[in-house]
Amino acid sequence: MDGEPLKPREIPRIPGYRIEGVLGRGATGTVYRARQLSVDRLVALKVLHEDLVGANGAERRLQREARATARLAHPHI
């Protein structure tokens, strides 16, 4: 899936980022390869599936996942 081509209607618009491809898809969302424009760095962005936004604490779980991931420090991630 790395760099999987995206159809224009599939590309989310997220201010400050340029989406470059799909890294993976799962039960709760899609992870995109993106460039953070303000600092010109590659990042992974996870976007919840629309049907989960506001449902059953999915947003809180995503925030908790993001905080845990942000604490990781390793040259290969």
Side-chain angles (χ1 to χ4, degrees):
M1 277 192 202
D2 187 13
E4 177 181 314
L6 294 171
K7 296 176 183 131
R9 69 182 186 332
E10 295 176 332
I11 300 171
R13 295 195 185 279
I14 302 171
Y17 296 88
R18 183 178 65 237
I19 306 298
E20 298 182 350
V22 174
L23 293 175
R25 290 186 172 100
T28 61
T30 301
V31 179
Y32 296 95
R33 175 187 167 106
R35 182 158 304 274
Q36 186 178 5
L37 300 174
S38 63
V39 291
D40 192 33
R41 71 174 172 172
L42 287 175
V43 296
L45 291 176
K46 184 172 187 178
V47 178
L48 283 177
H49 294 312
E50 287 183 35
D51 58 325
L52 293 177
V53 174
N56 299 322
E59 291 175 40
R60 281 194 311 273
R61 285 192 300 276
L62 180 63
Q63 289 173 344
R64 195 169 47 241
E65 179 183 320
R67 283 191 296 273
T69 303
R71 289 191 296 267
L72 298 175
H74 191 279
H76 298 289
I77 57 172

